[in-house]
Amino acid sequence: MKTSILSLSLLPGSLAATIYLAGDSTMARNGGGDGSTDGWGQYVQDSVTETVSNNAIGGRSARSYTREGRFQEIADALQEGDYVVIEFGHNDGGSLSSSDNGRTDCGGTGDETCETVYDGVAETVLTFPKYLENASQMFLDKGAHVLISSQTPNNPWESGTFSYGASRFVEYAQLAAEVAGVDYVDHGAYVASIFESLGLDTVTSYFPNDHTHTSPEGAQVVAEAFLKAVACSDVAFNDVLATTDFAGECL
């Protein structure tokens, strides 16, 4: 039987625990796609004791990541005691009423469903929380530690003055974690807090192309904000931190 390259990339590098990252371009390697930006998932490895497997893919939502079988591939690869971090939201908005981009979730926070046809195939679309809850349950069934993380903010200094307002997907992510019974950190709030302290000029330099994708330097800061959120929270991911010396305050 032929083994896909993706499947090989999911295999743990040792008998120790593996940390799997599932997300979009803000987490993915070369997140913006042009070499000048990077995702924060690339900058976690040096601060943890276990191997990181970054399976984030640009342009994906919780829905499209599910439809493409990417959550399932992680579930098939992970072992009991592994860790999975889930972070989506940037690509999950929009409306199914006019056209379907294959990423938009059904409106609502529970068991609501929407019927659509995407790429010529009929599809029942679930809500954002439900996709995260279903994925979490798959991972829990395999004995993994699951952490749902809220989406990162767009550049909060874009207007010239600091302004951060959490999108609805931050609340939805927290809700999904509560329903699924898994850990949660508000990554977005921690990034916003650190970005506020760094100021307009520094943070603006982190966004070379648009207000969403960060430079490698910015991605490092966003990664450390995630790790700070973990260090300040009672979550299982604390067990794999190599240090708790990260900038910022506990929120």
Side-chain angles (χ1 to χ4, degrees), residues 14-205:
S14 69
L15 295 178
T18 300
I19 301 165
Y20 294 93
L21 306 181
D24 55 34
S25 60
T26 59
M27 181 192 275
R29 180 181 178 87
N30 187 22
D34 67 351
S36 66
T37 59
D38 212 350
W40 66 269
Q42 293 302 109
Y43 299 89
V44 172
Q45 184 64 74
D46 289 345
S47 299
V48 297
T49 59
E50 309 297 344
T51 300
V52 176
S53 179
N54 188 356
N55 302 289
I57 303 291
R60 297 323 191 265
S61 67
R63 172 191 168 195
S64 61
Y65 204 88
T66 300
R67 187 182 60 251
E68 294 171 2
R70 297 182 186 275
F71 281 130
Q72 185 64 60
E73 288 195 343
I74 293 174
D76 291 342
L78 64 80
Q79 304 294 317
E80 183 176 358
D82 285 344
Y83 298 78
V84 185
V85 179
I86 305 171
E87 183 179 296
F88 288 94
H90 279 286
N91 301 308
D92 290 83
S95 172
L96 291 169
S97 61
S98 55
S99 62
D100 184 5
N101 61 10
R103 305 184 301 186
T104 300
D105 308 314
C106 187
T109 59
D111 294 327
E112 299 92 334
T113 61
C114 301
E115 300 301 323
T116 187
V117 175
Y118 173 69
D119 199 21
V121 178
E123 182 177 348
T124 298
V125 181
L126 310 182
T127 65
F128 178 81
K130 184 57 66 174
Y131 283 118
L132 269 55
E133 292 159 22
N134 289 348
S136 296
Q137 190 59 58
M138 277 200 302
F139 302 145
L140 290 174
D141 288 346
K142 295 292 294 289
H145 306 286
V146 182
L147 174 62
I148 293 178
S149 175
S150 69
Q151 73 175 87
T152 57
N154 291 329
N155 181 5
W157 285 101
E158 185 176 19
S159 68
T161 58
F162 182 84
S163 177
Y164 171 65
S167 83
R168 66 185 184 278
F169 295 105
V170 171
E171 179 183 352
Y172 291 172
Q174 183 174 14
L175 174 63
E178 291 172 355
V179 173
V182 300
D183 289 335
Y184 170 79
V185 293
D186 193 348
H187 190 188
Y190 275 83
V191 173
S193 177
I194 291 175
F195 278 0
E196 184 175 18
S197 69
L198 291 173
L200 170 64
D201 292 342
T202 297
V203 174
T204 298
S205 73

